[in-house]
Amino acid sequence: MVTSKGAAGVTGSGFIVLASTLQAMKVVPVEGIALLLGVDRFMSEARAITNLIGNGVATLVISRSEGAFDETRRMAALEARAAAAPAAVAVNP
């Protein structure tokens, strides 16, 4: 857990954290981690998306538990967003 702090904020840093953690724990040789290098880009994208979703869910959970979530304001924001969205364009074949 200690080595994961700050890894989500920098693209590609998760791989370095993984390599340093496994080297320190003597679980997998660093040479074996080279196999993961090819898929690290996709893993990094998945970590970023997971981090974004987790932060959003945590914000909602905490704001609701603290009574700070304003449902009417949320509805007004969604309605304004829907009104500003461009209408669907019909395509004639």
Coordinates of all heavy atoms in Angstrom, one line a residue:
M1 N 0.8 -1.2 0.0 CA 0.0 0.0 0.0 C 0.9 1.3 0.0 O 0.5 2.2 -0.6 CB -0.9 0.0 1.2 CG -1.8 1.1 1.3 SD -3.0 1.1 0.0 CE -4.0 2.4 0.4
V2 N 2.0 1.2 0.7 CA 2.8 2.4 0.8 C 3.4 2.7 -0.6 O 3.5 3.9 -1.0 CB 4.0 2.2 1.8 CG1 4.9 3.3 1.8 CG2 3.4 2.0 3.2
T3 N 3.8 1.8 -1.4 CA 4.3 2.0 -2.7 C 3.3 2.5 -3.7 O 3.7 3.0 -4.8 CB 5.1 0.8 -3.3 OG1 4.2 -0.3 -3.4 CG2 6.3 0.5 -2.4
S4 N 2.0 2.3 -3.5 CA 1.0 2.7 -4.5 C 0.7 4.2 -4.4 O 0.0 4.7 -5.3 CB -0.2 1.9 -4.3 OG -0.9 2.3 -3.1
K5 N 1.0 4.9 -3.4 CA 0.7 6.3 -3.2 C 1.4 7.1 -4.3 O 2.6 7.1 -4.5 CB 1.1 6.9 -1.8 CG 0.2 6.2 -0.7 CD -1.2 6.6 -1.0 CE -2.1 5.8 -0.1 NZ -3.5 5.8 -0.5
G6 N 0.6 7.9 -5.0 CA 1.1 8.8 -6.1 C 1.2 8.1 -7.4 O 1.5 8.7 -8.4
A7 N 1.1 6.8 -7.5 CA 1.3 6.1 -8.8 C 0.2 6.4 -9.8 O 0.5 6.4 -11.0 CB 1.3 4.6 -8.5
A8 N -1.0 6.7 -9.4 CA -2.1 6.9 -10.3 C -2.0 8.3 -11.0 O -2.6 8.5 -12.0 CB -3.4 6.8 -9.6
G9 N -1.2 9.2 -10.4 CA -1.2 10.6 -10.9 C -0.2 10.7 -12.1 O -0.3 11.7 -12.8
V10 N 0.7 9.8 -12.3 CA 1.7 9.9 -13.4 C 1.6 8.7 -14.3 O 1.7 7.6 -13.8 CB 3.1 10.0 -12.8 CG1 4.2 10.1 -13.9 CG2 3.2 11.2 -11.8
T11 N 1.4 9.0 -15.6 CA 1.3 7.9 -16.5 C 2.6 7.1 -16.6 O 3.7 7.6 -16.7 CB 1.0 8.4 -17.9 OG1 -0.2 9.2 -17.8 CG2 0.8 7.3 -18.9
G12 N 2.5 5.8 -16.5 CA 3.6 4.9 -16.6 C 4.3 4.6 -15.2 O 5.2 3.8 -15.2
S13 N 4.0 5.4 -14.2 CA 4.6 5.2 -12.9 C 4.2 3.9 -12.2 O 5.0 3.4 -11.4 CB 4.4 6.4 -12.0 OG 3.0 6.4 -11.7
G14 N 3.1 3.4 -12.6 CA 2.6 2.1 -12.0 C 3.6 1.0 -12.3 O 3.8 0.1 -11.4
F15 N 4.1 1.0 -13.5 CA 5.1 -0.1 -13.8 C 6.3 0.0 -13.0 O 6.8 -1.0 -12.5 CB 5.4 0.0 -15.3 CG 6.3 -1.1 -15.8 CD1 5.7 -2.4 -16.0 CD2 7.6 -0.9 -16.0 CE1 6.5 -3.4 -16.4 CE2 8.4 -2.0 -16.4 CZ 7.9 -3.2 -16.6
I16 N 6.8 1.2 -12.8 CA 8.0 1.4 -11.9 C 7.7 1.0 -10.5 O 8.5 0.3 -9.8 CB 8.5 2.8 -12.1 CG1 9.0 3.0 -13.5 CG2 9.7 3.1 -11.1 CD1 9.4 4.4 -13.8
V17 N 6.5 1.3 -10.0 CA 6.2 1.0 -8.6 C 6.1 -0.6 -8.5 O 6.5 -1.2 -7.5 CB 4.8 1.6 -8.2 CG1 4.3 1.1 -6.9 CG2 5.0 3.1 -8.2
L18 N 5.4 -1.2 -9.5 CA 5.3 -2.7 -9.5 C 6.7 -3.3 -9.5 O 7.0 -4.2 -8.7 CB 4.5 -3.1 -10.7 CG 4.5 -4.6 -11.0 CD1 3.7 -5.3 -9.8 CD2 3.9 -5.0 -12.3
A19 N 7.6 -2.8 -10.4 CA 9.0 -3.4 -10.4 C 9.7 -3.2 -9.1 O 10.4 -4.1 -8.7 CB 9.7 -2.7 -11.6
S20 N 9.6 -2.0 -8.5 CA 10.4 -1.8 -7.3 C 9.8 -2.6 -6.1 O 10.5 -3.1 -5.3 CB 10.4 -0.3 -7.0 OG 9.1 0.1 -6.7
T21 N 8.5 -2.8 -6.1 CA 7.8 -3.6 -5.0 C 8.2 -5.0 -5.2 O 8.6 -5.7 -4.2 CB 6.3 -3.4 -5.1 OG1 6.0 -2.0 -5.0 CG2 5.6 -4.2 -4.0
L22 N 8.1 -5.6 -6.4 CA 8.5 -7.0 -6.6 C 9.9 -7.2 -6.3 O 10.3 -8.3 -5.8 CB 8.0 -7.5 -8.0 CG 6.5 -7.5 -8.2 CD1 6.3 -7.9 -9.6 CD2 5.9 -8.5 -7.2
Q23 N 10.8 -6.3 -6.7 CA 12.2 -6.5 -6.4 C 12.5 -6.4 -4.9 O 13.3 -7.2 -4.4 CB 13.0 -5.4 -7.1 CG 14.5 -5.4 -6.8 CD 15.2 -6.7 -7.4 OE1 14.7 -7.3 -8.3 NE2 16.3 -7.0 -6.7
A24 N 11.8 -5.6 -4.2 CA 12.0 -5.5 -2.7 C 11.5 -6.7 -2.0 O 12.1 -7.2 -1.0 CB 11.4 -4.2 -2.2
M25 N 10.4 -7.3 -2.5 CA 9.9 -8.5 -1.9 C 10.5 -9.8 -2.4 O 10.2 -10.8 -1.8 CB 8.3 -8.5 -2.2 CG 7.6 -7.4 -1.6 SD 5.9 -7.4 -2.0 CE 5.3 -9.0 -1.3
K26 N 11.3 -9.7 -3.4 CA 12.1 -10.9 -4.0 C 11.1 -12.0 -4.4 O 11.3 -13.1 -4.2 CB 13.0 -11.4 -2.9 CG 14.0 -10.5 -2.4 CD 15.1 -10.2 -3.3 CE 16.2 -9.4 -2.6 NZ 16.7 -8.3 -3.3
V27 N 9.9 -11.5 -5.0 CA 8.9 -12.5 -5.4 C 9.2 -12.9 -6.9 O 9.2 -14.1 -7.2 CB 7.5 -11.9 -5.3 CG1 6.5 -12.8 -5.9 CG2 7.2 -11.5 -3.9
V28 N 9.4 -11.9 -7.7 CA 9.6 -12.2 -9.2 C 10.9 -11.4 -9.6 O 11.0 -10.3 -9.2 CB 8.4 -11.6 -10.0 CG1 8.6 -11.8 -11.5 CG2 7.1 -12.3 -9.6
P29 N 11.7 -12.1 -10.3 CA 12.9 -11.4 -10.8 C 12.5 -10.2 -11.7 O 11.5 -10.3 -12.4 CB 13.7 -12.4 -11.5 CG 12.8 -13.6 -11.7 CD 11.7 -13.5 -10.8
V30 N 13.3 -9.2 -11.7 CA 13.0 -8.0 -12.5 C 13.0 -8.4 -14.0 O 12.2 -7.8 -14.7 CB 14.1 -6.9 -12.2 CG1 13.9 -5.7 -13.1 CG2 14.1 -6.5 -10.8
E31 N 13.8 -9.3 -14.4 CA 13.8 -9.7 -15.8 C 12.4 -10.3 -16.2 O 12.0 -10.1 -17.3 CB 14.9 -10.8 -16.0 CG 16.3 -10.4 -15.8 CD 16.7 -10.4 -14.3 OE1 16.0 -11.0 -13.5 OE2 17.7 -9.8 -14.0
G32 N 11.7 -10.9 -15.3 CA 10.4 -11.4 -15.6 C 9.4 -10.3 -15.8 O 8.4 -10.4 -16.5
I33 N 9.6 -9.2 -15.2 CA 8.7 -8.0 -15.3 C 8.8 -7.4 -16.7 O 7.8 -6.8 -17.1 CB 9.0 -7.0 -14.2 CG1 8.8 -7.6 -12.8 CG2 8.1 -5.8 -14.3 CD1 9.2 -6.8 -11.7
A34 N 9.9 -7.7 -17.4 CA 10.0 -7.1 -18.8 C 8.9 -7.6 -19.7 O 8.5 -7.0 -20.6 CB 11.4 -7.5 -19.3
L35 N 8.3 -8.8 -19.4 CA 7.2 -9.3 -20.1 C 6.0 -8.4 -20.0 O 5.2 -8.3 -20.9 CB 6.9 -10.8 -19.7 CG 8.0 -11.8 -19.9 CD1 7.6 -13.1 -19.3 CD2 8.3 -11.9 -21.4
L36 N 5.8 -7.8 -18.9 CA 4.7 -6.9 -18.7 C 4.8 -5.6 -19.3 O 3.8 -4.9 -19.5 CB 4.5 -6.7 -17.2 CG 4.1 -7.9 -16.3 CD1 4.0 -7.5 -14.9 CD2 2.8 -8.5 -16.8
L37 N 6.0 -5.2 -19.8 CA 6.3 -3.9 -20.4 C 5.4 -3.7 -21.6 O 5.0 -2.6 -21.8 CB 7.8 -3.8 -20.7 CG 8.2 -2.4 -21.1 CD1 7.9 -1.4 -20.1 CD2 9.7 -2.4 -21.4
G38 N 5.2 -4.7 -22.4 CA 4.4 -4.6 -23.6 C 2.9 -4.2 -23.3 O 2.3 -3.6 -24.2
V39 N 2.4 -4.6 -22.2 CA 1.0 -4.3 -22.0 C 0.8 -3.2 -20.9 O -0.3 -2.9 -20.5 CB 0.2 -5.6 -21.5 CG1 0.1 -6.6 -22.6 CG2 0.8 -6.2 -20.2
D40 N 1.9 -2.6 -20.5 CA 1.8 -1.6 -19.5 C 1.0 -0.4 -19.9 O 0.3 0.2 -19.1 CB 3.2 -1.1 -19.1 CG 3.1 -0.1 -17.9 OD1 2.6 -0.5 -16.9 OD2 3.6 1.0 -18.1
R41 N 1.0 0.0 -21.2 CA 0.3 1.1 -21.7 C -1.2 0.9 -21.4 O -1.9 1.8 -21.0 CB 0.5 1.3 -23.2 CG -0.3 2.3 -23.8 CD 0.3 3.6 -23.9 NE -0.6 4.5 -24.6 CZ -0.3 5.7 -25.0 NH1 0.9 6.1 -24.9 NH2 -1.1 6.5 -25.6
F42 N -1.7 -0.3 -21.8 CA -3.1 -0.6 -21.5 C -3.4 -0.7 -20.0 O -4.5 -0.3 -19.6 CB -3.5 -1.9 -22.2 CG -3.2 -1.9 -23.7 CD1 -2.2 -2.7 -24.2 CD2 -3.9 -1.1 -24.5 CE1 -1.9 -2.6 -25.6 CE2 -3.7 -1.0 -25.9 CZ -2.7 -1.8 -26.4
M43 N -2.5 -1.3 -19.3 CA -2.7 -1.3 -17.8 C -2.8 0.1 -17.2 O -3.5 0.3 -16.3 CB -1.6 -2.1 -17.2 CG -1.6 -3.6 -17.5 SD -0.2 -4.6 -17.0 CE 0.3 -3.9 -15.5
S44 N -2.0 1.0 -17.7 CA -1.9 2.3 -17.3 C -3.3 3.0 -17.5 O -3.8 3.8 -16.7 CB -0.8 3.1 -17.9 OG -0.8 4.4 -17.4
E45 N -3.8 2.8 -18.7 CA -5.1 3.4 -19.0 C -6.2 2.9 -18.1 O -7.1 3.6 -17.6 CB -5.5 3.1 -20.5 CG -4.6 3.8 -21.5 CD -4.7 5.3 -21.5 OE1 -5.8 5.8 -21.2 OE2 -3.7 6.0 -21.7
A46 N -6.2 1.6 -17.9 CA -7.1 0.9 -17.0 C -7.0 1.5 -15.6 O -8.0 1.7 -14.9 CB -7.0 -0.6 -17.0
R47 N -5.8 1.7 -15.1 CA -5.6 2.2 -13.8 C -6.1 3.7 -13.7 O -6.7 4.1 -12.7 CB -4.1 2.2 -13.4 CG -3.6 0.9 -13.0 CD -2.2 1.0 -12.4 NE -1.2 1.4 -13.4 CZ -0.5 0.6 -14.2 NH1 -0.6 -0.7 -14.1 NH2 0.4 1.1 -15.0
A48 N -5.9 4.5 -14.7 CA -6.4 5.8 -14.7 C -7.9 5.9 -14.7 O -8.5 6.7 -14.0 CB -5.8 6.6 -15.9
I49 N -8.6 5.1 -15.5 CA -10.0 5.0 -15.5 C -10.6 4.6 -14.2 O -11.5 5.1 -13.7 CB -10.5 4.2 -16.7 CG1 -10.2 4.8 -18.0 CG2 -12.0 3.9 -16.6 CD1 -10.4 4.0 -19.2
T50 N -10.0 3.5 -13.6 CA -10.4 3.0 -12.3 C -10.3 4.1 -11.3 O -11.1 4.3 -10.4 CB -9.6 1.8 -12.0 OG1 -9.8 0.8 -13.0 CG2 -10.1 1.2 -10.7
N51 N -9.2 4.8 -11.3 CA -8.9 5.9 -10.3 C -10.0 7.0 -10.5 O -10.5 7.5 -9.5 CB -7.5 6.5 -10.5 CG -7.1 7.4 -9.4 OD1 -7.5 7.3 -8.3 ND2 -6.4 8.5 -9.8
L52 N -10.3 7.4 -11.7 CA -11.3 8.4 -12.0 C -12.6 8.0 -11.4 O -13.3 8.8 -10.7 CB -11.3 8.7 -13.4 CG -12.3 9.8 -13.9 CD1 -11.9 11.2 -13.3 CD2 -12.5 9.8 -15.4
I53 N -13.1 6.8 -11.8 CA -14.4 6.3 -11.3 C -14.4 6.2 -9.8 O -15.4 6.6 -9.2 CB -14.7 5.0 -12.0 CG1 -14.9 5.2 -13.5 CG2 -15.9 4.3 -11.4 CD1 -15.0 3.9 -14.3
G54 N -13.3 5.7 -9.2 CA -13.3 5.6 -7.8 C -13.4 6.9 -7.0 O -14.1 7.0 -6.0
N55 N -12.7 7.9 -7.6 CA -12.7 9.2 -7.0 C -14.1 9.8 -7.1 O -14.6 10.4 -6.1 CB -11.7 10.2 -7.6 CG -10.3 9.9 -7.3 OD1 -10.0 9.1 -6.3 ND2 -9.4 10.4 -8.0
G56 N -14.8 9.6 -8.2 CA -16.2 10.1 -8.4 C -17.2 9.5 -7.4 O -18.0 10.1 -6.8
V57 N -17.1 8.1 -7.3 CA -18.0 7.4 -6.4 C -17.7 7.8 -5.0 O -18.6 8.0 -4.2 CB -17.8 5.9 -6.6 CG1 -18.5 5.1 -5.6 CG2 -18.3 5.5 -8.0
A58 N -16.4 7.9 -4.6 CA -16.1 8.3 -3.2 C -16.7 9.6 -2.9 O -17.2 9.9 -1.8 CB -14.6 8.2 -3.0
T59 N -16.6 10.6 -3.8 CA -17.1 11.9 -3.6 C -18.6 11.9 -3.4 O -19.1 12.6 -2.5 CB -16.8 12.8 -4.8 OG1 -15.3 12.9 -5.0 CG2 -17.3 14.2 -4.7
L60 N -19.3 11.1 -4.2 CA -20.8 11.0 -4.0 C -21.1 10.4 -2.7 O -22.0 10.8 -2.0 CB -21.4 10.2 -5.2 CG -21.4 11.0 -6.5 CD1 -21.9 10.0 -7.6 CD2 -22.3 12.2 -6.4
V61 N -20.4 9.3 -2.3 CA -20.8 8.6 -1.1 C -20.5 9.5 0.1 O -21.4 9.6 1.0 CB -19.9 7.3 -1.0 CG1 -20.0 6.7 0.4 CG2 -20.4 6.3 -2.0
I62 N -19.4 10.2 0.1 CA -19.1 11.0 1.3 C -20.0 12.2 1.3 O -20.5 12.6 2.4 CB -17.6 11.5 1.3 CG1 -16.7 10.3 1.5 CG2 -17.4 12.6 2.3 CD1 -15.3 10.5 1.4
S63 N -20.3 12.8 0.2 CA -21.2 14.0 0.2 C -22.6 13.6 0.6 O -23.3 14.4 1.3 CB -21.2 14.7 -1.2 OG -21.8 13.9 -2.1
R64 N -23.1 12.4 0.2 CA -24.4 12.0 0.7 C -24.4 11.6 2.2 O -25.4 12.0 2.9 CB -24.9 10.8 -0.1 CG -25.3 11.2 -1.5 CD -25.8 9.9 -2.3 NE -26.1 10.3 -3.6 CZ -27.4 10.4 -4.1 NH1 -28.4 10.3 -3.3 NH2 -27.6 10.7 -5.4
S65 N -23.3 11.0 2.7 CA -23.3 10.7 4.1 C -23.2 11.9 5.0 O -23.6 11.9 6.1 CB -22.2 9.7 4.3 OG -20.9 10.3 4.2
E66 N -22.6 12.9 4.5 CA -22.4 14.2 5.2 C -23.6 15.1 5.1 O -23.7 16.1 5.7 CB -21.2 14.9 4.8 CG -19.9 14.2 5.1 CD -19.6 14.2 6.6 OE1 -19.9 15.2 7.3 OE2 -19.1 13.1 7.1
G67 N -24.6 14.7 4.2 CA -25.7 15.6 3.9 C -25.4 16.8 3.1 O -26.2 17.8 3.1
A68 N -24.3 16.8 2.4 CA -23.9 17.9 1.6 C -24.3 17.8 0.1 O -24.1 18.7 -0.7 CB -22.4 18.1 1.7
F69 N -24.9 16.7 -0.3 CA -25.3 16.5 -1.7 C -26.6 17.1 -1.9 O -27.6 16.9 -1.2 CB -25.4 15.0 -2.0 CG -25.6 14.6 -3.4 CD1 -24.6 14.7 -4.3 CD2 -26.9 14.3 -3.9 CE1 -24.7 14.4 -5.6 CE2 -27.1 14.0 -5.2 CZ -26.0 14.1 -6.1
D70 N -26.7 18.0 -3.0 CA -27.9 18.7 -3.3 C -28.5 18.1 -4.6 O -28.0 18.3 -5.7 CB -27.5 20.2 -3.6 CG -28.7 21.1 -3.8 OD1 -29.9 20.6 -3.7 OD2 -28.5 22.3 -3.9
E71 N -29.6 17.3 -4.4 CA -30.2 16.6 -5.5 C -30.8 17.6 -6.5 O -30.8 17.3 -7.7 CB -31.3 15.7 -5.0 CG -31.9 14.8 -6.0 CD -31.0 13.8 -6.6 OE1 -30.1 13.3 -5.9 OE2 -31.2 13.5 -7.8
T72 N -31.4 18.7 -6.1 CA -32.0 19.6 -7.0 C -31.0 20.3 -7.9 O -31.2 20.5 -9.1 CB -32.9 20.7 -6.3 OG1 -32.0 21.4 -5.3 CG2 -34.0 20.0 -5.5
R73 N -29.8 20.6 -7.3 CA -28.8 21.2 -8.1 C -28.2 20.2 -9.1 O -27.9 20.6 -10.3 CB -27.7 21.6 -7.1 CG -26.6 22.5 -7.7 CD -25.7 23.0 -6.7 NE -24.7 23.8 -7.2 CZ -23.7 24.3 -6.6 NH1 -23.6 24.1 -5.3 NH2 -22.8 25.0 -7.1
R74 N -28.2 18.9 -8.8 CA -27.7 17.9 -9.7 C -28.7 17.8 -10.9 O -28.3 17.8 -12.0 CB -27.6 16.5 -9.0 CG -27.1 15.4 -10.0 CD -27.2 14.1 -9.4 NE -28.6 13.6 -9.2 CZ -29.3 13.0 -10.2 NH1 -28.7 12.8 -11.4 NH2 -30.5 12.6 -10.0
M75 N -30.0 17.8 -10.6 CA -31.0 17.7 -11.6 C -30.9 18.9 -12.5 O -31.1 18.8 -13.8 CB -32.4 17.5 -11.0 CG -32.6 16.2 -10.4 SD -32.5 14.8 -11.5 CE -33.9 15.2 -12.6
A76 N -30.8 20.1 -12.0 CA -30.7 21.3 -12.8 C -29.5 21.3 -13.7 O -29.5 21.7 -14.9 CB -30.6 22.5 -11.9
A77 N -28.3 20.8 -13.2 CA -27.1 20.7 -14.0 C -27.3 19.7 -15.2 O -26.9 19.9 -16.3 CB -25.9 20.2 -13.2
L78 N -28.0 18.5 -14.9 CA -28.2 17.5 -15.9 C -29.2 18.1 -17.0 O -29.0 17.8 -18.2 CB -28.7 16.2 -15.3 CG -27.7 15.4 -14.5 CD1 -28.3 14.2 -13.9 CD2 -26.5 15.0 -15.4
E79 N -30.2 18.8 -16.5 CA -31.2 19.4 -17.5 C -30.5 20.4 -18.4 O -30.8 20.5 -19.6 CB -32.4 19.9 -16.7 CG -33.3 18.9 -16.1 CD -34.3 19.5 -15.2 OE1 -34.4 20.7 -15.1 OE2 -35.0 18.7 -14.6
A80 N -29.7 21.2 -17.8 CA -28.9 22.3 -18.6 C -28.0 21.6 -19.6 O -27.9 22.1 -20.7 CB -28.2 23.2 -17.6
R81 N -27.4 20.5 -19.2 CA -26.5 19.8 -20.1 C -27.3 19.2 -21.2 O -26.8 19.2 -22.4 CB -25.7 18.7 -19.3 CG -24.8 18.0 -20.2 CD -24.0 17.0 -19.3 NE -23.1 16.2 -20.2 CZ -22.5 15.1 -19.8 NH1 -22.7 14.7 -18.6 NH2 -21.7 14.5 -20.6
A82 N -28.4 18.6 -20.9 CA -29.3 18.0 -22.0 C -29.8 19.1 -22.9 O -29.9 18.8 -24.2 CB -30.4 17.2 -21.4
A83 N -30.1 20.2 -22.4 CA -30.6 21.3 -23.3 C -29.5 21.9 -24.2 O -29.8 22.3 -25.3 CB -31.2 22.4 -22.4
A84 N -28.3 21.8 -23.7 CA -27.2 22.4 -24.5 C -26.6 21.4 -25.5 O -25.9 21.8 -26.5 CB -26.0 22.8 -23.6
A85 N -27.0 20.1 -25.4 CA -26.5 19.1 -26.3 C -27.1 19.3 -27.7 O -28.3 19.6 -27.8 CB -26.9 17.7 -25.8
P86 N -26.3 19.2 -28.8 CA -26.8 19.4 -30.1 C -27.9 18.3 -30.5 O -27.7 17.1 -30.0 CB -25.6 19.3 -31.0 CG -24.6 18.5 -30.2 CD -24.9 18.8 -28.8
A87 N -28.9 18.6 -31.2 CA -29.9 17.7 -31.7 C -29.3 16.7 -32.6 O -28.3 17.0 -33.3 CB -31.0 18.4 -32.3
A88 N -29.8 15.5 -32.6 CA -29.3 14.4 -33.5 C -29.6 14.8 -35.0 O -30.6 15.3 -35.3 CB -30.0 13.1 -33.2
V89 N -28.6 14.6 -35.8 CA -28.7 15.0 -37.2 C -29.1 13.8 -38.0 O -28.5 12.7 -37.9 CB -27.3 15.5 -37.7 CG1 -27.4 15.8 -39.2 CG2 -26.8 16.7 -36.9
A90 N -30.2 13.9 -38.7 CA -30.7 12.8 -39.5 C -29.9 12.7 -40.8 O -29.6 13.7 -41.5 CB -32.2 13.0 -39.9
V91 N -29.5 11.5 -41.1 CA -28.7 11.3 -42.3 C -29.5 10.6 -43.4 O -30.1 9.6 -43.1 CB -27.4 10.4 -42.0 CG1 -26.6 10.1 -43.2 CG2 -26.6 11.0 -40.9
N92 N -29.6 11.2 -44.5 CA -30.4 10.7 -45.6 C -29.5 9.8 -46.5 O -28.5 10.2 -47.0 CB -31.0 11.8 -46.5 CG -32.1 12.6 -45.7 OD1 -32.7 12.0 -44.9 ND2 -32.2 13.8 -46.1
P93 N -29.9 8.5 -46.7 CA -29.1 7.6 -47.5 C -29.1 8.0 -49.0 O -29.9 8.5 -49.5 CB -29.7 6.2 -47.2 CG -31.0 6.4 -46.6 CD -31.0 7.8 -46.1

